[in-house]
Structure formats: C-alpha cells, structure tokens
Amino acid sequence: MTFDQMLERVRLEGAYPSRERAAEAVRNVLAALGRQVTGDERVDLAQCLPVEAALTLTAQVPDTEQLTGWGFVKDLAARTGATPATTRWDTGAVLAVVARLAGPDLLARVLDRLPGGYALLFGRAELRQPQTAAS
C-alpha cells in the first residue's frame, strides 16, 4: 500500500472531508503510537506501513512510561489541542487501517506489549483479563 492509498483509507474510515485532514490524523496518531510501541513489534509494525508512515512512527523516542489506551487518547488530545472525543475518533480511524496493514498476528503481539485499552482503539475486542492486585 502506498502512503496516498493509506490516507484515502483513513479518510474514508474517519469520514474526513479532505485528504489533508486524514494526513493530520495519521501524523498525530502514528507519532503518539511511536512513543508507546517498542522492541521487535515496533520494527515489524514499521515494516508493514508505507515509508512515510513508518518514518513518523519510528521518529519518536519511546516514552519511559507506557500509557493505557485512555491515557494514550488523553495525552494525544493534550498534545494536539483537540478534544478527547475528536482524538478518540482520529485514533480509531488511523489504527483501524494500521490493524489491517499489520495483520492479526502482529497486531496481537503489539497489543500484548501495550497496557490495557488499546485493542478497542484498533477496533478489536479487549480480551485481556483484568489484573488483580496482590494482597
């Protein structure tokens, strides 16, 4: 898939009025994702993306603290100045396309490395069992 094809899919997924708006969402969401995904999953995910998207993902230095899915949305909203609702919409539109490009096996590996709440952002059911605190 080319970057233009990716933008068109995100534009359709997010019902954006223009390709420019889709490109903004892709840049913001992939940069934020690049701050969260590490290790082999980061490398493999970058290889599934068009070059421009992969560069946006890998240009970010991973954060030392991983955010939950909702924390990811709140952090991205704060960085972009958008509302959490708009940011959640953008995240879902971009990550749905990323999930299709990654495929189910890589997506499962990525989700295993991230805290809870990301599966829903990628358009998948959250299948993790909640962790109980040790007594």
Side-chain angles (χ1 to χ4, degrees), residues 20-54:
E20 291 75 23
R21 178 64 184 90
E24 177 186 3
V26 167
R27 281 190 306 275
N28 290 337
V29 172
L30 288 181
L33 187 62
R35 291 188 289 274
Q36 297 298 308
V37 178
T38 60
D40 290 341
E41 289 73 22
R42 177 185 173 100
V43 173
D44 293 346
L45 186 57
Q47 290 176 341
C48 293
L49 300 174
V51 172
E52 298 90 334

Side-chain angles (χ1 to χ4, degrees), residues 28-36 60-88 91 118 121:
N28 290 337
V29 172
L30 288 181
L33 187 62
R35 291 188 289 274
Q36 297 298 308
Q60 304 302 309
V61 175
D63 286 343
T64 56
E65 177 186 343
Q66 283 194 314
L67 301 170
T68 64
W70 178 237
F72 176 89
V73 171
K74 290 191 310 186
D75 180 67
L76 183 54
R79 289 174 186 261
T80 61
T83 65
T86 298
T87 303
R88 173 59 183 92
T91 301
Y118 281 88
L121 298 178

Side-chain angles (χ1 to χ4, degrees), residues 62-135:
D63 286 343
T64 56
E65 177 186 343
Q66 283 194 314
L67 301 170
T68 64
W70 178 237
F72 176 89
V73 171
K74 290 191 310 186
D75 180 67
L76 183 54
R79 289 174 186 261
T80 61
T83 65
T86 298
T87 303
R88 173 59 183 92
W89 183 269
D90 291 349
T91 301
V94 173
L95 295 184
V97 173
V98 170
R100 282 186 235 126
L101 290 171
D105 294 337
L106 176 55
L107 182 58
R109 288 179 33 223
V110 169
L111 291 173
D112 282 345
R113 300 262 318 201
L114 293 169
Y118 281 88
L120 294 174
L121 298 178
F122 280 96
R124 303 294 191 262
E126 184 73 50
L127 300 176
R128 291 184 181 185
Q129 294 297 320
Q131 299 294 322
T132 57
S135 303

